[in-house]
């Protein structure tokens, strides 16, 4: 298998590490070879691996999982959690902490999350609080985790049907990217990751935006070369932003495009009922519609963005078809008021004037309601 690497550096904070080493590894994912036969086998620290039942059941994971007898392989341990958003909770975080403590792991050992955004976020959160902080590494297995969740150090879990209310900033020391994992994803999870990648293009990269605009057929077909290009562009773009603004005091907030709308939609629908990416894509559509209503962008830009969203079968209606019950805008806005990105009692949104032309604004609730009906 071939590899290529680059680094992301962080400011001197109590964040667990001052840089992340990212390794892109081609070919079929072989974690047994990576951790027990390659250079990672020389690791002297104990490793506490965390994955979920879905990832553990993949054919490419059999040789790795078989290494563990009752969750133990030599000095290393493996914990398999339930799969999906319903398990992104404080109980899962504490299950990781408890299992590591029972196995006598120290703060000098390593937690390694193997999975999508839920596993990356909960494993890193557990690492950040375990004995006041131990190192964490990731093997992201979903497109969403590769292009977004695993990069940049945000950790956490949901709480009382609200997204990511509890968490820390605690980046991984190493990330091992196998783009081939994307080919194992069900369609809805693949589509979810595409939404975060499209967001990155809209925010920072005209060429990536144009790729989504012009190559929908290749992207929807999971063309390997196209996907590797998308993943590389997203990781580099997010890495650059994180280096500039690690704790989201300025430009990193742009990465929340579509998320205030999207997180609220996930809560209204019931966490786990729709994918994060589907909610974010819908939120991007609402944010662009709002920018048009405020005369920040031209109609041709709004129409083009909505057209691209439709090309990937993302919902662009003001009220998604699956939403049940009345009072949708009131329910959504009530949740948007609690969003952690707000810095006052007003709702803070990311709006687009054009590709890579972004602003942050506190928006009147009546104006928000106007794009929700």
């Amino acid at each position: 298998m071939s590899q290529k690497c680059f680094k992301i550096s962080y400011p001197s904070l109590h964040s667990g590490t001052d840089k992340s080493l990212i390794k892109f590894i081609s070919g079929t994912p072989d974690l047994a070879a990576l951790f027990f036969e390659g250079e990672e086998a020389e690791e002297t620290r104990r490793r506490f691996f965390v994955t979920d039942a879905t990832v553990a059941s993949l054919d490419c994971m059999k040789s790795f999982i078989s290494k563990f007898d009752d969750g133990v392989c030599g000095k290393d341990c493996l914990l398999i959690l339930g799969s999906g958003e319903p398990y992104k909770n404080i109980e899962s975080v504490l299950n990781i902490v408890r299992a590591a403590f029972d196995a006598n792991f120290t703060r000098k050992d390593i937690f390694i999350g193997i999975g999508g955004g839920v596993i990356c976020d909960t494993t890193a959160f557990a690492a950040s609080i375990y004995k006041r902080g131990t190192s964490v590494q990731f093997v992201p297995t979903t497109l969403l985790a590769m292009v977004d969740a695993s990069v940049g150090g945000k950790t956490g879990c949901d709480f009382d049907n609200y997204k990511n209310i509890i968490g820390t900033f605690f980046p991984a020391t190493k990330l091992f990217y196998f783009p081939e994992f994307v080919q194992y994803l069900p369609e809805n999870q693949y589509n979810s990751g595409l939404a975060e990648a499209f967001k990155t293009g809209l925010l920072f990269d005209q060429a990536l935006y144009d790729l989504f605009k012009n190559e929908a057929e290749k992207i929807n077909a999971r063309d390997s070369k196209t996907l590797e290009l998308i993943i590389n562009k997203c990781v580099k773009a997010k890495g650059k932003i994180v280096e500039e603004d690690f704790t989201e005091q300025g430009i990193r907030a742009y990465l929340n495009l579509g998320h205030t709308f999207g997180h609220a939609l996930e809560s209204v629908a019931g966490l786990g009922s729709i994918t994060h990416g589907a909610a974010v894509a819908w939120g991007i559509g609402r944010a662009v519609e709002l920018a048009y209503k405020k005369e920040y962008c031209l109609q041709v830009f709004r129409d083009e963005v909505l057209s691209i969203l439709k090309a990937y079968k993302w919902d662009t209606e003001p009220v998604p078809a699956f939403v049940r019950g009345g009072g949708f805008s009131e329910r959504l806005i009530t949740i948007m008021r609690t969003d952690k990105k707000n810095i006052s009692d007003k709702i803070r949104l990311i709006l687009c004037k054009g590709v890579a032309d972004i602003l942050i604004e506190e928006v009147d609730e009546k104006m928000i309601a106007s794009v929700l009906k």
Side-chain angles (χ1 to χ4, degrees):
M1 60 180 72
S2 63
Q3 298 187 17
K4 56 183 176 180
C5 309
F6 71 92
K7 293 180 181 179
I8 300 172
S9 298
Y10 307 105
S12 298
L13 298 172
H14 53 284
S15 58
T17 184
D18 61 355
K19 61 181 176 297
S20 294
L21 176 64
I22 302 177
K23 296 187 176 183
F24 288 86
I25 307 171
S26 62
T28 301
D30 188 346
L31 272 62
L34 174 66
F35 289 113
F36 297 108
E37 299 168 21
E39 62 184 51
E40 296 303 317
E42 299 174 6
E43 177 60 65
T44 57
R45 293 171 294 177
R46 296 181 69 197
R47 298 174 295 194
F48 189 82
F49 294 97
V50 182
T51 191
D52 66 32
T54 298
V55 175
S57 68
L58 296 176
D59 286 343
C60 65
M61 290 290 291
K62 286 181 178 178
S63 61
F64 175 78
I65 299 296
S66 67
K67 291 275 187 184
F68 295 85
D69 182 14
D70 289 331
V72 178
C73 176
K75 68 183 189 306
D76 300 327
C77 294
L78 170 68
L79 176 66
I80 301 176
L81 300 175
S83 304
E85 193 74 27
Y87 291 92
K88 191 178 182 181
N89 54 40
I90 195 64
E91 287 77 18
S92 292
V93 175
L94 295 179
N95 283 341
I96 297 169
V97 169
R98 184 177 298 108
F101 181 76
D102 289 345
N104 295 315
F105 275 75
T106 74
R107 65 189 298 176
K108 292 185 178 181
D109 294 320
I110 315 168
F111 288 16
I112 303 179
I114 306 168
V118 171
I119 287 294
C120 290
D121 283 5
T122 54
T123 302
F125 186 23
S128 74
I129 61 175
Y130 183 72
K131 298 186 176 180
R132 296 199 175 100
T134 187
S135 294
V136 67
Q137 300 177 3
F138 295 142
V139 182
T141 62
T142 66
L143 182 59
L144 189 146
M146 292 179 196
V147 302
D148 186 66
S150 66
V151 182
K154 283 187 177 181
T155 83
C157 62
D158 305 332
F159 182 73
D160 281 355
N161 204 39
Y162 292 95
K163 288 279 292 184
N164 300 329
I165 294 300
I166 308 172
T168 58
F169 287 95
F170 199 80
T173 58
K174 290 183 181 179
L175 300 94
F176 304 95
Y177 276 48
F178 293 87
E180 190 69 19
F181 263 123
V182 174
Q183 304 301 334
Y184 292 86
L185 294 174
E187 191 62 29
N188 67 329
Q189 292 297 327
Y190 174 64
N191 191 257
S192 178
L194 288 180
E196 289 283 6
F198 173 64
K199 177 205 74 176
T200 303
L202 186 54
L203 288 172
F204 306 120
D205 191 329
Q206 180 74 56
L208 181 56
Y209 175 87
D210 289 341
L211 192 66
F212 273 90
K213 176 183 173 182
N214 300 321
E215 300 292 350
E217 186 174 343
K218 280 187 177 181
I219 294 172
N220 283 327
R222 308 194 197 192
D223 177 73
S224 295
K225 289 186 178 179
T226 305
L227 282 175
E228 287 187 16
L229 176 61
I230 288 171
I231 294 167
N232 270 271
K233 279 182 166 291
C234 287
V235 171
K236 289 177 180 178
K238 186 167 184 182
K240 182 176 183 294
I241 295 302
V242 168
E243 285 184 331
E244 291 181 27
D245 182 22
F246 179 61
T247 57
E248 200 173 288
Q249 303 303 306
I251 193 171
R252 186 171 181 175
Y254 289 178
L255 292 167
N256 294 310
L257 173 65
H259 281 63
T260 303
F261 281 109
H263 283 168
L265 179 61
E266 288 182 82
S267 293
V268 166
L271 294 181
S273 298
I274 58 171
T275 66
H276 173 68
V280 167
W282 175 81
I284 290 171
R286 293 305 87 208
V288 172
E289 184 69 41
L290 186 57
Y292 172 67
K293 279 183 172 284
K294 293 178 72 67
E295 299 184 349
Y296 291 154
C297 71
L298 298 174
Q299 181 177 344
V300 65
F301 174 72
R302 179 204 66 177
D303 292 348
E304 182 174 272
V305 171
L306 294 178
S307 176
I308 295 171
L309 294 173
K310 290 175 183 176
Y312 297 91
K313 297 182 173 60
W314 291 315
D315 200 315
T316 60
E317 294 300 314
V319 182
F322 58 82
V323 172
R324 299 288 182 265
F328 173 67
S329 65
E330 292 83 0
R331 286 188 286 159
L332 201 82
I333 289 171
T334 296
I335 295 170
M336 291 172 75
R337 290 190 194 113
T338 69
D339 192 279
K340 63 184 181 299
K341 297 178 289 296
N342 296 331
I343 56 176
S344 72
D345 58 356
K346 295 182 179 179
I347 296 172
R348 191 171 185 239
L349 294 174
I350 315 302
L351 303 175
C352 295
K353 295 181 179 180
V355 178
D357 190 359
I358 313 300
L359 73 154
I360 303 174
E361 183 173 301
E362 291 182 329
V363 181
D364 180 79
E365 291 184 8
K366 290 182 179 179
M367 181 64 76
I368 295 173
S370 74
V371 301
L372 300 174
K373 57 188 177 182

